[in-house]
Amino acid sequence: MNDHPRLVPAVRTLSLLFTGLLAGAFGYGAVNVAQTFKAVPLDVRLTFHTALMKMNGPVMQTTMGLAMLSSLALAVLLRGAARRLAAVASALVATSFLVTRFGNVPINGRIKVWAVTGAPPDHAAILRRWELFNDVRTVAALVAFLLLLTLVTPLVRPSR
């Protein structure tokens, strides 16, 4: 039995909101921004990437933090299979944060330097690695959101 029945709807709503925002932001980035990066000249990509990261840094870190905390809080409040789903969602959000922090962010720092000094000969491989990290964190955030959706949306409707 749930000890905090009044908290669950609010925390569930917040976890859906923040994981949805995170998955949506990463999804938009993967489908639109990353593909646009490939279509423009390298100097344009580097300049835009650097400018984008100035804004993305605080916004995405805040969104990741709120998504992780709200889904973890939901796991604490729930029981049984629902608790496990919320806990896995929280772990997936944490994965997106760790991939960002230790995968994308260091490469973003290199890109910032390249925007001023020029890209090194192996830049294409490094940019492909950034894209791989981007895909991993996007999938992690999307799966986290989908798991939390299963807590509020039955996958199979009972027959009448």
Side-chain angles (χ1 to χ4, degrees):
M1 184 88 188
N2 186 348
D3 297 334
H4 306 286
R6 291 178 147 182
L7 282 177
V8 171
V11 173
R12 184 174 43 228
T13 298
L14 291 173
S15 67
L16 284 169
L17 172 65
F18 294 125
T19 59
L21 287 171
L22 183 64
F26 279 147
Y28 178 85
V31 171
N32 292 301
V33 177
Q35 300 313 309
T36 303
F37 281 165
K38 294 176 187 178
V40 298
L42 182 60
D43 62 324
V44 172
R45 177 192 177 153
L46 299 178
T47 301
F48 181 73
H49 193 119
T50 300
L52 182 63
M53 292 310 110
K54 286 180 187 174
M55 188 54 114
N56 262 11
V59 170
M60 293 306 292
Q61 287 178 34
T62 301
T63 305
M64 283 186 271
L66 291 170
M68 189 166 53
L69 289 174
S70 60
S71 57
L72 184 59
L74 188 61
V76 168
L77 293 171
L78 298 175
R79 302 286 180 259
R83 171 179 272 180
R84 288 187 291 279
L85 283 176
V88 170
S90 183
L92 287 166
V93 172
T95 298
S96 73
F97 170 78
L98 292 171
V99 168
T100 300
R101 177 65 189 97
F102 297 108
N104 296 93
V105 169
I107 296 172
N108 289 343
R110 293 170 84 172
I111 290 171
K112 184 178 179 180
V113 172
W114 300 348
V116 175
T117 65
D122 64 342
H123 72 276
I126 295 167
L127 293 175
R128 276 193 303 277
R129 194 170 49 213
W130 185 93
E131 291 164 6
L132 174 65
F133 290 136
N134 192 54
D135 291 344
V136 169
R137 68 186 182 174
T138 300
V139 169
L142 178 61
V143 172
F145 180 58
L146 292 173
L147 287 176
L148 292 175
L149 274 177
T150 65
L151 295 177
V152 297
T153 308
L155 296 177
V156 177
R157 299 271 182 208
S159 49
R160 294 182 183 198

